[in-house]
Amino acid sequence: MTDIKVTPHEQGAFYYGDEILHYHIQRRATDDERKVVIKVHPDERITVMAPKSASKEEVKAAILKRVRWIWESLLEFRQQQEFISPRQYAGGETYFYLGKRYRLKLIQQEETVPSVKLKRGRLEVCYSGEYNAELIKKWVMHWYEHRAYILYHQRLAELLPKTDWVTGLPNLKIMPMTRQWGSCSTSGRIMLNPHLVKAPKDCIDYVILHELCHIAEHNHSDRFWRLLTKVMPDWKANKAKLDEMAELYLNE
């Protein structure tokens, strides 16, 4: 499962100035890696990947050593959040597709069938009748889902030869999600978020390979991460790129 939000096993908190900051602890399956890894997310969550045997006191001590960096990261994300406003589905807004930005252009024409297409660096919506933001949203989202369906199947077919543990073509479903980029059921069915099509191709490949690895390893064990590293050595960079833009890609 490629989560946007992580479900914690343990929780902790600390003060910085007058503010109390909460963090979630995830445990590695083994103690092969002793380093405590701290991640500050765009939605201001703080997650900590810690060795299985590390005490809560040891984890907190590692956090406090980086408390200034954590606080500065939170401030940076808060400043970015100020520029993210709800979509109005009006001309001139910026929309993403495969990591590139496109300006929305609305074209009102009499007796025309509603259509959405990329043209000359713009996302053009042609329609007849009066402007209706809800209808514009519906057409744009349908376009994203259609493009996602085509692209995800293409990328899945391209990536499958890397995954010799997968037999046959996995069932792929497109499903809007608010907290996940993708998921994999125990039966091997893969679900992908249509909003992921807004990200660069390398990020899409990362999520697909992540879910394909779950067919062999149904958790985030060290074996899982080794398998993912084998098929995509630079997955960390692609994940970081996706995490950085998550709030913008998910802004409807």
Side-chain angles (χ1 to χ4, degrees):
M1 181 182 296
T2 335
D3 292 338
I4 297 169
K5 183 175 181 180
V6 177
T7 302
H9 297 291
E10 304 171 58
Q11 299 184 32
F14 61 94
Y15 278 97
Y16 190 83
D18 295 329
E19 187 165 354
I20 186 169
L21 303 176
H22 298 270
Y23 57 89
H24 306 316
I25 304 173
Q26 294 177 286
R27 297 288 183 173
R28 297 190 183 91
T30 68
D31 283 338
D32 294 343
E33 174 61 59
R34 295 293 303 170
K35 186 178 180 181
V36 174
V37 179
I38 303 168
K39 173 73 175 179
V40 181
H41 300 265
D43 60 3
E44 299 187 27
R45 287 178 299 113
I46 303 170
T47 56
V48 183
M49 181 66 75
K52 182 178 180 181
S53 62
S55 67
K56 286 190 175 182
E57 290 73 20
E58 290 174 324
V59 173
K60 189 168 185 176
I63 292 172
L64 294 179
K65 286 182 180 179
R66 303 198 67 193
V67 66
R68 185 174 180 83
W69 171 82
I70 293 172
W71 178 251
E72 290 175 350
S73 298
L74 286 172
L75 288 181
E76 182 177 349
F77 284 131
R78 288 174 183 177
Q79 290 170 356
Q80 291 177 4
Q81 192 66 26
E82 293 177 0
F83 296 97
I84 301 176
S85 56
R87 295 284 188 194
Q88 301 298 318
Y89 290 88
E93 286 185 333
T94 298
Y95 289 77
F96 289 89
Y97 179 67
L98 293 180
K100 295 183 180 180
R101 298 171 186 259
Y102 296 88
R103 292 287 182 183
L104 181 65
K105 183 177 181 180
L106 303 180
I107 302 175
Q108 187 179 28
Q109 296 177 340
E110 294 302 323
E111 299 181 0
T112 186
V113 177
S115 65
V116 182
K117 58 185 176 182
L118 290 178
K119 187 176 181 180
R120 301 190 186 94
R122 295 185 178 90
L123 183 64
E124 291 189 356
V125 178
C126 294
Y127 66 100
S128 62
E130 295 183 0
Y131 165 79
N132 185 311
E134 286 302 315
L135 283 178
I136 300 295
K137 176 180 178 179
K138 176 183 176 181
W139 297 328
V140 169
M141 286 307 303
H142 178 76
W143 180 83
Y144 272 125
E145 291 176 7
H146 177 67
R147 295 305 307 167
Y149 180 88
I150 295 173
L151 182 66
Y152 296 169
H153 280 84
Q154 289 176 345
R155 298 313 304 153
L156 178 61
E158 184 78 18
L159 295 169
L160 270 179
K162 294 185 176 184
T163 57
D164 54 15
W165 62 88
V166 180
T167 57
L169 182 66
N171 184 12
L172 175 61
K173 183 178 181 180
I174 311 300
M175 177 176 289
M177 294 175 274
T178 59
R179 298 181 183 276
Q180 295 170 239
W181 291 121
S183 67
C184 179
S185 69
T186 54
S187 64
R189 184 177 72 169
I190 292 175
M191 291 187 290
L192 295 176
N193 195 328
H195 291 290
L196 181 62
V197 80
K198 301 173 185 177
K201 184 171 67 68
D202 289 345
C203 296
I204 297 172
D205 287 356
Y206 154 69
V207 175
I208 293 175
L209 285 171
H210 185 119
E211 303 310 335
L212 289 173
C213 287
H214 275 313
I215 293 177
E217 299 291 334
H218 294 293
N219 52 35
H220 289 125
S221 64
D222 287 347
R223 290 178 61 185
F224 169 86
W225 296 115
R226 285 196 294 269
L227 187 61
L228 181 57
T229 300
K230 178 182 177 182
V231 295
M232 178 175 269
D234 60 345
W235 69 264
K236 290 183 180 179
N238 293 323
K239 181 181 184 301
K241 194 185 332 182
L242 186 58
D243 288 345
E244 182 180 356
M245 297 296 289
E247 293 296 310
L248 288 173
Y249 292 156
L250 291 167
N251 181 25
E252 293 189 20

